[in-house]
């Protein structure tokens, strides 16, 4: 926890931008100067990739129940994809200091550590309980910005977060059960998810100012090694060897499925980092809650999932809360200055 906080402090905040109303935007996450239409475009692409990968992963995990190895696959896809694009001249690398390399190493630990804690805590709590606690990530995000960066939010922003969080609780209502250790681990997981999201934003908008592609390029190999270590320690490596060599279940079809999964994961990582830079860390955590709800809606549509009245109320509440939050963001943080040529170019490029 202390290491994560220290990493955030190393990423120096920049002066707060001005809004259309002439006031401080309240938080220097790089999003105040970005027009709403560009933010909407990035979030739309983010939702498409995220929902696609979530549903795809569900299908893959039925045949390959190895979450750490799947994470290693995603990291490997990120490393290979970035290497290819770098060779093609689609982005360039910055000069980074030893201190900045240390920040990136810790960031990779946050990436894999968050997954590890989530997997461990799932064995100690029920899935509905896990989803409810993880839905509080926006609260931790606000706390991080207020405590470490002295940021401020309006009462309207705080109010709009309530239905987003409560709605997820109602939508995922079920068998709530947890051990004390499981509750602590799940809560730590929600905190680390917030730290990871804020750190992703600060790396791109703070003193480092790395592009999304460079962040992914430098982080992926580290995350790959860490995921393989976790797979070995958790016994997944041995189980996969049995799956492949003893049971002979690794067919060409499954290999093709994994390759496609890696490609989608690469696309999601790129758009996720880029969207974080454009819309801000808090909006990304709100989007993660909305993604949970949209996953349920798609499950109802495609997998005939049956939901009760309380679940339906939660879905509606979350979506209304997200719309309220979006309206508050557009009203209070509308940029007073015109977007730069770079922002316009990236906004147009996101739709290509």
């Amino acid at each position: 926890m202390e290491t994560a906080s220290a990493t955030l402090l190393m990423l120096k905040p920049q002066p707060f931008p001005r809004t259309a109303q002439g006031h401080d935007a309240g938080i220097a996450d790089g999003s105040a100067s970005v027009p709403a239409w560009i933010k909407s475009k990035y979030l739309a692409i983010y939702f498409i990739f995220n929902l696609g990968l979530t549903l795809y992963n569900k299908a893959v995990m039925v045949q390959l129940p190895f979450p750490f190895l799947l994470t290693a696959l995603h990291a490997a896809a990120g490393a290979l994809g970035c290497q290819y694009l770098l060779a093609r001249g689609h982005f360039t690398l910055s000069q980074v200091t030893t201190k900045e390399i240390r920040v990136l190493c810790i960031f990779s630990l946050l990436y894999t550590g968050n997954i590890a804690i989530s997997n461990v805590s799932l064995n100690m709590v029920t899935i509905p309980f896990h989803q409810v606690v993880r839905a509080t990530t926006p609260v931790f995000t606000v706390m991080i910005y207020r405590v470490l960066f002295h940021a401020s939010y309006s009462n309207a922003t705080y109010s709009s977060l309530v239905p987003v969080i409560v709605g997820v609780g109602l939508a995922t209502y079920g068998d709530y059960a947890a051990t004390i250790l499981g509750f602590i681990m799940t809560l730590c997981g929600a905190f680390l998810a917030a730290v990871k999201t804020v750190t992703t934003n600060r790396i791109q908008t703070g003193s480092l100012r790395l592009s999304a592609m460079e962040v992914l390029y430098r982080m992926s190999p580290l995350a790959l090694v860490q995921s393989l270590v976790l797979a070995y320690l958790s016994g997944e490596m041995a189980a996969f060897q049995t799956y492949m060599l003893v049971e002979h279940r690794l067919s060409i079809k499954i290999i093709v499925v994994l390759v496609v999964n890696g490609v989608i994961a690469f696309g999601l990582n790129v758009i996720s980092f880029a969207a974080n830079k454009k819309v801000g860390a808090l909006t990304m955590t709100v989007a993660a809650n909305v993604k949970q709800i949209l996953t349920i809606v798609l499950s109802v549509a495609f997998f005939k999932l049956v939901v009760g009245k309380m679940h339906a109320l939660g879905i509606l509440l979350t979506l209304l809360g997200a719309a309220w939050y979006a309206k508050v963001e557009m009203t209070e943080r509308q940029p007073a200055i015109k977007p730069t040529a770079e922002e316009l170019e990236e906004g147009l490029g996101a739709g290509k």
Side-chain angles (χ1 to χ4, degrees), residues 53-291:
L53 187 65
T54 298
L55 297 176
Y56 202 107
N57 280 346
K58 287 182 181 295
V60 171
M61 290 290 287
V62 171
Q63 302 181 64
L64 290 160
F66 310 116
F68 289 129
L69 288 176
L70 190 61
T71 302
L73 171 67
H74 295 171
L80 292 173
C82 288
Q83 189 64 52
Y84 172 77
L85 293 178
L86 178 64
R88 301 276 294 181
H90 288 280
F91 70 99
T92 57
L93 298 178
S94 308
Q95 293 292 331
V96 293
T97 64
T98 302
K99 179 181 179 181
E100 290 167 344
I101 290 175
R102 185 173 64 180
V103 171
L104 292 169
C105 288
I106 296 175
F107 175 63
S108 69
L109 288 171
L110 284 173
Y111 179 85
T112 51
N114 181 50
I115 296 171
I117 288 183
S118 178
N119 288 336
V120 171
S121 62
L122 268 173
N123 292 325
M124 303 178 182
V125 302
T126 57
I127 292 178
F129 183 86
H130 187 269
Q131 291 176 310
V132 168
V133 175
R134 296 285 289 199
T136 63
T137 302
V139 175
F140 289 111
T141 303
V142 169
M143 291 170 58
I144 290 170
Y145 271 117
R146 286 190 63 88
V147 174
L148 297 183
F149 299 111
H150 308 292
S152 61
Y153 297 90
S154 68
N155 290 332
T157 298
Y158 290 127
S159 299
S160 66
L161 291 177
V162 174
V164 172
I165 296 172
V166 174
V168 173
L170 294 175
T172 59
Y173 177 78
D175 180 23
Y176 292 150
T179 63
I180 295 178
L181 180 59
F183 171 72
I184 295 174
M185 292 289 287
T186 308
L187 202 61
C188 287
F191 173 74
L192 286 179
V195 172
K196 185 194 74 172
T197 306
V198 174
T199 304
T200 301
N201 182 270
R202 298 309 307 158
I203 286 176
Q204 296 181 91
T205 63
S207 57
L208 278 175
R209 298 191 70 82
L210 301 180
S211 67
M213 292 302 306
E214 185 170 0
V215 175
L216 188 59
Y217 174 85
R218 296 185 181 278
M219 185 273 294
S220 293
L222 298 171
L224 171 60
V225 173
Q226 293 157 12
S227 298
L228 290 176
V229 170
L230 289 173
Y232 175 78
L233 294 175
S234 66
E236 276 191 19
M237 199 80 78
F240 182 71
Q241 288 178 341
T242 300
Y243 176 96
M244 181 175 59
L245 301 177
V246 178
E247 300 176 0
H248 303 289
R249 295 171 61 187
L250 189 63
S251 63
I252 298 296
K253 179 182 177 181
I254 292 179
I255 292 175
V256 172
V257 167
L258 291 175
V259 170
V260 174
N261 185 269
V263 172
I264 298 175
F266 173 65
L268 174 60
N269 279 327
V270 173
I271 191 60
S272 178
F273 288 159
N276 191 313
K277 179 180 179 180
K278 295 300 180 185
V279 307
L282 180 58
T283 299
M284 290 301 291
T285 59
V286 172
N289 279 15
V290 174
K291 194 261 314 188

